[in-house]
């Protein structure tokens, strides 16, 4: 839902930007698209390393192009967050000028262009700039009416995996080995290389029961959204980790979490038919590229928290799939900084992990899901 920005002045507007983003940006260019005075969300990209180089033009072109994809946008506010100091001129002026020029060419009105620097703040459109900028003490991010606390931390905050204790991780490792043994005995599924080195000769009855639950994956994936990740049972973590480590099953989970259980049923059926030689439906494949119906954020949030806990609990050798899923879910929620970190961790474990490579390519190209540009 659009946020009504009622800012008496630029300082008050800047106090609202962290609420729009959910964090306090650092070393960032933020664009807040507007429609008749109402914000349509906010977009953040990293500042270019060379403020005066060609990279600034590329960043400006990318950001204006993204803003123009929002059908109702008739203007925008621009904010630069930088560690540089305010001197005779505001830092990153070349970047902002390039952005304003491109916005003007596209018919997008830049209502104001502001900077929050290391020692002051100001407006690039202010011809009577106070030497050294205005004091940062004027910028106070208050709690919002209704009890929403002021955000803390920057765009990278919150990306670290939970840190379960050693006993919890050992229990999940044992459950994963037991599940491998059960699946080998029941279905003849060969264990992974990591599992085969320490396979248990005994088949755990709980693992046999878990293996049977894998017969109906859409039901399992839907139930998993209702589990409490904080108190996740070891066998449940092993089951989800096993699925997310297998591309075919992982893709079913992502399509379902981005839609509903019926979508998971369709994806499961399509996967079976594809393995028999049929063409995979383009509408299902397009979900992975961020096209189609907007997912419910609550489903993606729940799936992301589950995948984060599972990745933290799994032994490192088994963790790449869950980390890549964390990356895709974070990207689907518009958190490209988090997505890149999860994908990079996955690639450090498995150098040729397909989904992790796709997520990193999305982030590097500034590609966002199509549903990010459509109203909820």
């Amino acid at each position: 839902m659009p946020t009504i920005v009622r800012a008496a002045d630029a300082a008050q507007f800047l106090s609202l930007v962290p609420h729009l983003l959910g964090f306090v940006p650092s070393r960032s260019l933020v664009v807040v698209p507007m429609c008749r005075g109402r914000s349509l969300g906010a977009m953040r990209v990293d500042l270019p390393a060379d403020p005066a180089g060609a990279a600034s033009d590329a960043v400006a072109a990318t950001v204006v192009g993204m803003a123009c994809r929002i059908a109702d946008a008739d203007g925008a506010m621009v904010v630069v967050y930088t560690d540089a100091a305010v001197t005779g001129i505001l830092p990153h002026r070349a970047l902002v000028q390039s952005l304003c020029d491109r916005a003007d060419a596209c018919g997008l009105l830049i209502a104001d262009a502001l900077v929050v620097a290391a020692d002051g703040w100001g407006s690039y459109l202010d011809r009577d700039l106070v030497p050294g900028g205005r004091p940062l003490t004027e910028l106070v991010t208050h709690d919002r009416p209704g009890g929403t606390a002021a955000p803390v931390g920057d765009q990278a905050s919150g990306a670290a995996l939970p840190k379960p204790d050693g006993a919890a991780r050992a229990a999940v490792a044992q459950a994963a080995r037991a599940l491998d043994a059960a699946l080998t005995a029941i279905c003849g599924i060969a264990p992974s290389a990591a599992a085969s080195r320490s396979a248990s000769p005994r088949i755990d009855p709980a693992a046999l029961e878990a293996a049977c639950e894998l017969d109906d994956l859409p039901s399992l994936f839907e139930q998993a959204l209702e589990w409490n990740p904080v108190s996740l049972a070891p066998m449940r973590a092993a089951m989800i980790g096993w699925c997310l480590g297998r591309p075919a099953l992982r893709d079913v989970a992502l399509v379902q979490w981005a839609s509903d259980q019926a979508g998971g049923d369709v994806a499961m059926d399509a996967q079976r038919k594809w393995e028999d030689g049929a063409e995979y439906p383009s509408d299902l494949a397009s979900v992975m590229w961020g096209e189609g119906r907007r997912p419910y954020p609550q489903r993606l949030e729940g799936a992301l928290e589950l995948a984060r806990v599972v990745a933290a609990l799994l032994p490192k050798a088994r963790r790449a799939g869950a980390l890549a899923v964390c990356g895709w879910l974070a990207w689907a929620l518009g958190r490209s900084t988090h997505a890149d970190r999860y994908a990079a961790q996955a690639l450090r474990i498995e150098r040729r992990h397909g989904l992790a490579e796709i997520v990193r390519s999305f982030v590097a190209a500034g590609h966002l899901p199509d549903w990010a540009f459509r109203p909820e």
Side-chain angles (χ1 to χ4, degrees):
M1 177 179 293
T3 299
I4 300 176
V5 178
R6 296 188 178 96
D9 53 29
Q12 187 178 348
F13 172 78
L14 288 173
S15 74
L16 296 174
V17 172
H19 285 290
L20 293 175
L21 291 166
F23 54 82
V24 181
S26 64
R27 297 181 294 281
S28 301
L29 171 64
V30 175
V31 174
V32 180
M34 311 288 287
C35 176
R36 294 191 295 275
R38 297 186 179 210
S39 75
L40 301 173
M43 301 181 294
R44 188 211 70 87
V45 298
D46 291 338
L47 287 175
D50 182 2
S56 289
D57 287 336
V59 169
T62 297
V63 170
V64 171
M66 291 163 60
C68 289
R69 289 180 62 184
I70 303 174
D72 294 334
D74 55 21
M77 298 281 282
V78 177
V79 189
V80 170
Y81 290 85
T82 177
D83 293 335
V86 177
T87 56
I89 61 172
L90 297 179
H92 296 280
R93 180 173 288 276
L95 168 63
V96 173
Q97 186 61 57
S98 178
L99 189 148
C100 289
D101 290 344
R102 291 179 180 275
D104 182 65
C106 295
L108 192 68
L109 173 67
I110 300 299
D112 205 348
L114 307 166
V115 61
V116 180
D119 55 354
W121 72 276
S123 169
Y124 294 96
L125 307 185
D126 186 0
R127 296 184 178 180
D128 300 315
L129 178 66
V130 178
R134 301 186 64 85
L136 292 175
T137 52
E138 294 180 350
L139 309 180
V140 179
T141 303
H142 301 283
D143 292 351
R144 294 182 64 181
T148 304
V152 295
D154 64 12
Q155 60 270 13
S157 299
L161 294 178
K163 294 185 177 180
D165 59 39
R169 293 182 62 183
V172 172
Q174 176 58 38
R177 291 192 293 269
L179 182 60
D180 281 331
L183 289 168
T184 300
I186 296 173
C187 309
I189 299 176
S192 64
S196 62
R197 290 194 292 268
S198 54
S200 172
R202 176 179 174 273
I203 299 179
D204 186 338
L208 287 172
E209 182 179 349
C212 292
E213 288 190 60
L214 297 174
D215 273 345
D216 187 356
L217 285 177
S219 292
L220 173 64
F221 292 149
E222 200 66 21
Q223 293 167 15
L225 293 180
E226 302 298 323
W227 296 344
N228 183 358
V230 176
S231 56
L232 195 61
M235 189 57 71
R236 285 182 167 179
M239 291 165 62
I240 297 299
W242 187 87
C243 293
L244 300 187
R246 284 152 179 80
L249 309 185
R250 170 204 72 206
D251 290 352
V252 172
L254 290 180
V255 169
Q256 178 167 338
W257 289 337
S259 56
D260 50 29
Q261 185 169 347
D265 288 328
V266 173
M268 192 76 243
D269 183 60
Q271 185 63 42
R272 294 192 184 101
K273 290 179 179 177
W274 179 80
E275 290 172 358
D276 290 335
E279 185 174 349
Y280 195 80
S282 59
D283 59 326
L284 294 180
S286 66
V287 173
M288 302 296 294
W289 303 98
E291 299 174 1
R293 189 181 70 183
R294 174 192 287 272
Y296 287 106
Q298 296 89 339
R299 290 179 64 84
L300 296 182
E301 291 276 10
L304 175 57
E305 193 53 37
L306 173 68
R308 279 167 38 83
V309 170
V310 169
L313 287 168
L314 287 172
K316 183 177 179 180
R318 296 176 180 260
R319 200 177 293 171
L323 282 168
V325 165
C326 289
W328 188 90
L329 291 167
W331 171 79
L333 285 162
R335 302 170 193 165
S336 291
T337 301
H338 289 199
D340 190 61
R341 294 198 172 196
Y342 295 133
Q345 291 178 61
L347 290 169
R348 284 196 288 271
I349 298 170
E350 189 176 322
R351 292 180 58 191
R352 297 290 183 180
H353 195 283
L355 180 60
E357 290 179 331
I358 289 171
V359 170
R360 294 210 81 188
S361 70
F362 285 169
V363 175
H367 173 62
L368 294 177
D370 182 63
W371 53 69
F373 301 95
R374 300 197 304 268
E376 297 183 22

